[in-house]
Amino acid sequence: QVQLVESGGGLVQAGGSLRLSCAASGSIFSINVMGWYRQAPGKQRDLVASITNGGSTNYADSVKGRFTISRDNAKNTVYLQMNTLKPEDTAVYYCNARIRRLAAPYQYEYWGQGTQVTVSS
């Protein structure tokens, strides 16, 4: 069994900062890409940022220069530092990871339960 547990969401004023964390646990052999997605009410879930196990990163255009994704491979944890937050960043943020379990031949995609981020104007 593999689990992704997120933390760090909350309410912040525009211009403020938040840091999200997501820890993977369970019978993990390896983790490839880890990332963050977000979904606002009535909208689809979109990629915010991703990072490979080698440290290569990818960002949505809307967050470039404001958000930074990082990971600690020893802790199986991914972080999202969000600065200069805007009201349009308000959404549920979901952690995502492609994980190969012990004794499993393939990677599977796993999701966290989601954490609410609300930015007030």
Side-chain angles (χ1 to χ4, degrees):
Q1 190 78 354
V2 170
Q3 191 175 16
L4 300 181
V5 178
E6 300 140 338
S7 61
L11 173 65
V12 64
Q13 289 188 332
S17 299
L18 283 174
R19 188 189 193 212
L20 305 183
S21 300
C22 171
S25 62
S27 54
I28 296 170
F29 176 75
S30 63
I31 303 178
N32 189 357
V33 180
M34 302 185 81
W36 291 92
Y37 288 70
R38 66 186 181 187
Q39 187 168 22
K43 295 189 176 182
Q44 66 180 22
R45 188 176 298 186
D46 291 325
L47 175 69
V48 175
S50 64
I51 184 168
T52 69
N53 55 7
S56 297
T57 58
N58 180 46
Y59 294 92
D61 288 342
S62 60
V63 306
K64 284 181 180 177
R66 300 188 297 123
F67 291 10
T68 302
I69 190 170
S70 61
R71 65 190 279 176
D72 185 333
N73 290 331
K75 296 181 179 180
N76 291 335
T77 300
V78 63
Y79 306 95
L80 185 68
Q81 178 65 43
M82 305 185 292
N83 298 329
T84 319
L85 282 160
K86 304 175 180 179
E88 51 263 43
D89 294 318
T90 295
V92 178
Y93 283 70
Y94 295 91
C95 177
N96 173 277
R98 295 174 196 165
I99 297 173
R100 181 178 171 186
R101 295 173 56 186
L102 293 171
Y106 306 110
Q107 296 178 16
Y108 294 91
E109 189 173 47
Y110 293 88
W111 292 91
Q113 78 283 1
T115 185
Q116 177 70 46
V117 171
T118 303
V119 185
S120 63
S121 57

